[in-house]
Amino acid sequence: MPPQPSPVPRSRGSRHSRRIAGELARATSNAPQAEPSPRAETVYRPRAPIDVARTLSPLERGHSDPTLTVDRVTGDRWLAVRNDQGDATLCIRPVTEGARIVAFGRGSDRAIELAPELLGRGDDWSGLDLRRVPWLAEVRRRHPGLRLCRTNAVFPAIAQAIIEQRVTGTEAHGAWAWLHRRYADRAPGPTNLVPRGLLLPLTPRQWLGIPSWDWHRAGVDHARSTALLRAAAVADGLERTLRLGRGSDEITARLRSVPGVGVWTAAETTQRSHGDPDAPSFGDFHVAHWVGYALRGERTDDVGMRDLLEPWRGHRQRVVRLIALSDRRREPRRAPRLEPADHRRR
């Protein structure tokens, strides 16, 4: 071990020691300090019970989603979000009286402000009459905490829906994760608290910057990438539809004005971004079959689903969510599952 230098004798009260101490203090004060991430916290206590897991489940995009992570032990939901004040990381934990919400980042205050709507505030089920279908009323009775979420973020929702057009969930989730891990920014917050690998949703500018070969490598075909880029080009206009309420024909028409956005994509978007209670996913590969089998005992198509759900107009998405929670939507499997298509070889 090398010899250690002897300590310099300190002369108490000497002019030299006071000068050195002053210089050291100034140097320390002028050194760049790591700024702590802004933090906000609250407990959301709704009057009615809330099921945090089922309310937020439509936002999950598989186990590999880098923008949303679920802690299977504590039940915490970690979400990376953007709002008009900046970026934020939300941690939502179910508690007895509702949900404990912690936010990090420049947009934390705004994220806390919007969190109650994310958890279903304003989603009014009182007008839904299920007496004509007793088993459906029983499903609602067993799940009183189910709410429709409202993210107040249109572009991330429409981007997810476009990625999911006409492909299996495995393909869509893989593409979403691959593109975010390559181009997205890290979610804000202290590294010892925020889950490792949590990323912010890509901004419209970031989507527009993705080269054609990386769309191909992610397995996203030309039709979907073109539609997403067109949506990114008018993202500000899409966000303005939030001012029009939770759902309407006008909102759907504005979303569908983007080439490549059809009925299914618009519905999948407004269900999440606006909390639309009357936007079932017409055109989905599975939903019409679920509804037909649950309400009539046999498969049906979009026309049949529209007729079956008509008595609940205004609440049709709520009814679909209840059917998804029931055992009656399940039918005996008679055909193999849809095989994922590898667009990279085309």
Side-chain angles (χ1 to χ4, degrees), residues 229-239 258:
L229 294 177
R230 286 170 173 165
V234 295
D236 289 343
L238 298 177
E239 300 299 334
V258 179

Side-chain angles (χ1 to χ4, degrees), residues 268-319:
E268 289 284 313
T269 301
T270 59
Q271 289 167 16
R272 297 164 175 82
S273 58
H274 295 71
D276 192 341
D278 196 44
S281 301
F282 292 110
D284 192 274
F285 186 76
H286 300 288
V287 174
H289 297 164
W290 295 350
V291 173
Y293 200 79
L295 296 178
R296 198 166 61 186
E298 60 183 9
R299 285 190 172 198
T300 189
D301 55 13
D302 280 350
V303 175
M305 180 170 75
R306 194 180 300 273
D307 292 339
L308 289 171
L309 294 177
E310 184 60 31
W312 295 291
R313 178 172 286 275
H315 302 273
R316 291 178 294 178
Q317 176 58 16
R318 295 190 176 109
V319 173

Side-chain angles (χ1 to χ4, degrees), residues 60-267:
E60 299 178 21
R61 288 301 185 271
H63 297 298
S64 62
D65 185 357
T67 65
L68 187 155
T69 298
V70 179
D71 188 321
R72 302 297 174 183
V73 177
T74 63
D76 293 354
R77 261 71 183 166
W78 290 88
L79 297 81
V81 299
R82 298 183 188 273
N83 55 54
D84 52 6
Q85 291 184 358
D87 309 330
T89 297
L90 272 176
C91 177
I92 302 176
R93 171 173 292 183
V95 294
T96 303
E97 62 270 38
R100 178 175 176 265
I101 307 165
V102 180
F104 303 96
R106 289 181 294 112
S108 58
D109 288 337
R110 180 63 170 158
I112 289 288
E113 181 184 343
L114 295 174
E117 287 194 346
L118 183 65
L119 292 169
R121 186 179 66 184
D123 179 34
D124 183 9
W125 290 61
S126 61
L128 177 59
D129 185 358
L130 299 171
R131 289 175 295 180
R132 61 188 296 268
V133 185
W135 68 263
L136 204 53
E138 176 62 18
V139 174
R140 178 57 182 165
R141 188 192 68 79
R142 287 190 280 109
H143 300 283
L146 175 65
R147 297 287 180 270
L148 301 185
C149 65
R150 176 181 165 99
T151 66
N152 283 288
V154 183
F155 179 71
I158 203 170
Q160 289 178 334
I162 290 172
I163 291 289
E164 294 173 359
Q165 290 176 348
R166 299 182 301 277
V167 295
T168 65
T170 300
E171 291 174 276
H173 298 164
W176 178 262
W178 192 92
L179 290 167
H180 275 78
R181 290 198 180 99
R182 191 165 183 85
Y183 291 101
D185 301 320
R186 182 188 174 279
T191 55
N192 62 324
L193 294 179
V194 176
R196 192 175 192 181
L198 190 68
L199 302 175
L200 288 160
L202 289 169
T203 65
R205 183 183 294 273
Q206 287 172 324
W207 283 111
L208 290 167
I210 297 175
S212 59
W213 54 85
D214 273 345
W215 289 105
H216 195 63
R217 292 176 67 188
V220 180
D221 59 74
H222 180 70
R224 286 183 290 155
S225 63
T226 300
L228 207 160
L229 294 177
R230 286 170 173 165
V234 295
D236 289 343
L238 298 177
E239 300 299 334
R240 286 194 290 271
T241 63
L242 292 168
R243 305 171 187 171
L244 303 177
R246 299 185 75 89
S248 66
D249 291 340
E250 183 178 356
I251 293 173
T252 299
R254 291 193 185 188
L255 298 188
R256 292 194 62 192
S257 68
V258 179
V261 174
V263 175
W264 181 87
T265 305

